[in-house]
Amino acid sequence: MGDVIYEIHPNLCTECVGHYDQPQCQLFCPVDCIPLDPQHVESQDELMDKYKKLIAQKSTSN
């Protein structure tokens, strides 16, 4: 709503794999405005690999 626009970066989104059973953005968005991007289809294994890489990067940057 309003001027604020949220964008989900496909290289950083794991669709909540590693944290939740389903994507939280889709669950809590007040309108049906977060479709899956057909340009960035990933399997559960690919999403888990991305999650592990992001967590490893975060651990080494501290």
Side-chain angles (χ1 to χ4, degrees):
M1 291 175 47
D3 294 334
V4 177
I5 296 173
Y6 296 97
E7 293 185 25
I8 300 169
H9 194 293
N11 293 339
L12 300 176
C13 178
T14 64
E15 296 179 22
C16 293
V17 168
H19 293 284
Y20 299 99
D21 292 334
Q22 59 185 349
Q24 298 298 286
C25 59
Q26 289 180 332
L27 181 65
F28 290 103
C29 184
V31 294
D32 190 20
C33 67
I34 306 174
L36 294 177
D37 184 351
Q39 300 295 324
H40 293 96
V41 176
E42 298 170 288
S43 70
Q44 290 293 306
D45 289 337
E46 290 170 321
L47 292 168
M48 181 57 80
D49 288 343
K50 185 191 305 184
Y51 165 77
K52 289 176 182 176
K53 287 177 187 174
L54 290 169
I55 293 300
Q57 287 175 358
K58 183 176 180 182
S59 296
T60 59
S61 68
N62 287 334

